[in-house]
Amino acid sequence: MFSIGEHVIHPGQGVCTVMDFEDGPAPMIVLEARSGHARTRLLYPVAQAARLHACISREEAEALIDGYASLECDPFTERNSSLEESYFKGQLKLGAPETLRVAKTMRSRIRDAEEHARKPSSYYMRVYKEARRRSVEEFAVALGVSEQDADARLHAAAVAAGEIADN
C-alpha cells in the first residue's frame, strides 16, 4: 500500500500525490492531481490500488535520460487506427519508461510525415502531447525539479540523440 505524500501513477491522470485514506463501506485513497495551477482531488478505490504504481526513482530517471538515444521506438502498428489508439493509451497508463517510449515513437512518426511533405496525423500529435506531459510530470517528481527543468532535460536528450533541432 502507499503512504501519504507518496507520488503514484494514476492510469487516467498521470502523476498524483496520495493525500489521505477514507474508511467506509468502500475504502478510498484520496489523491491529488496537479495540472499547471489547477489541483484536482480524486477518490480511488483501495480495492483497485494494484492499478496504481509508484513513480520511477531518481536513479531510473537519470538512466533513462542518459540512455535516451538508445531507447527504441515502439514498433506497434495496426491498420485499424482505433486498435492502435487503444494500444498506445494503454502504454501511457504504465508510466515511465513507457510514456517516454510513446513520446519518442509519436515524435518519430510526426517527423516522418513532415519529411515526406505530409501533414502529421492529429492523432499522433494528440498522443505525443499527452505522452510528453506525463513523462515531464514523472521526471520532475523523480528528479525533484520543476516541470520546466525536467522538460529541458528531456529536450536536451532528444537534441543530443539528433531527433530534434536545438531551438
Side-chain angles (χ1 to χ4, degrees):
M1 186 54 98
F2 303 105
S3 57
I4 293 176
E6 186 174 357
H7 296 284
V8 297
I9 304 295
H10 180 284
Q13 299 295 320
V15 176
C16 294
T17 306
V18 176
M19 302 304 287
D20 201 2
F21 298 93
E22 290 186 2
D23 291 328
M28 298 288 198
I29 303 170
V30 181
L31 301 172
E32 181 181 80
R34 294 182 186 181
S35 180
H37 296 293
R39 295 180 180 194
T40 304
R41 183 175 182 255
L42 307 161
L43 296 175
Y44 200 82
V46 170
Q48 295 181 18
R51 295 182 65 205
L52 299 173
H53 54 90
C55 291
I56 58 172
S57 68
R58 179 181 194 89
E59 294 77 23
E60 291 169 313
E62 293 286 355
L64 280 168
I65 291 170
D66 292 343
Y68 181 82
S70 63
L71 183 67
E72 298 285 327
C73 287
D74 195 311
F76 184 86
T77 55
E78 175 63 52
R79 287 182 170 263
N80 182 327
S81 60
S82 176
L83 292 176
E84 186 176 58
E85 186 166 1
S86 295
Y87 171 79
F88 283 113
K89 281 183 178 180
Q91 295 300 101
L92 291 179
K93 294 177 183 181
L94 301 175
E98 295 310 316
T99 54
L100 190 58
R101 184 182 319 281
V102 171
K104 187 172 183 173
T105 301
M106 293 300 128
R107 184 180 350 212
S108 172
R109 291 179 182 187
I110 291 165
R111 188 178 62 242
D112 185 51
E114 290 170 343
E115 287 173 357
H116 289 92
R118 294 189 317 256
K119 182 178 177 186
S121 153
S122 62
Y123 155 70
Y124 289 162
M125 300 295 278
R126 187 174 62 251
V127 173
Y128 169 69
K129 183 178 176 183
E130 181 64 11
R132 182 176 171 171
R133 180 189 71 80
R134 285 182 179 230
S135 294
V136 166
E137 280 182 351
E138 189 168 2
F139 278 86
V141 166
L143 298 171
V145 298
S146 70
E147 287 185 14
Q148 292 80 9
D149 290 341
D151 191 34
R153 294 267 318 262
L154 291 171
H155 180 80
V159 168
E163 284 187 11
I164 57 175
D166 191 14
N167 298 356

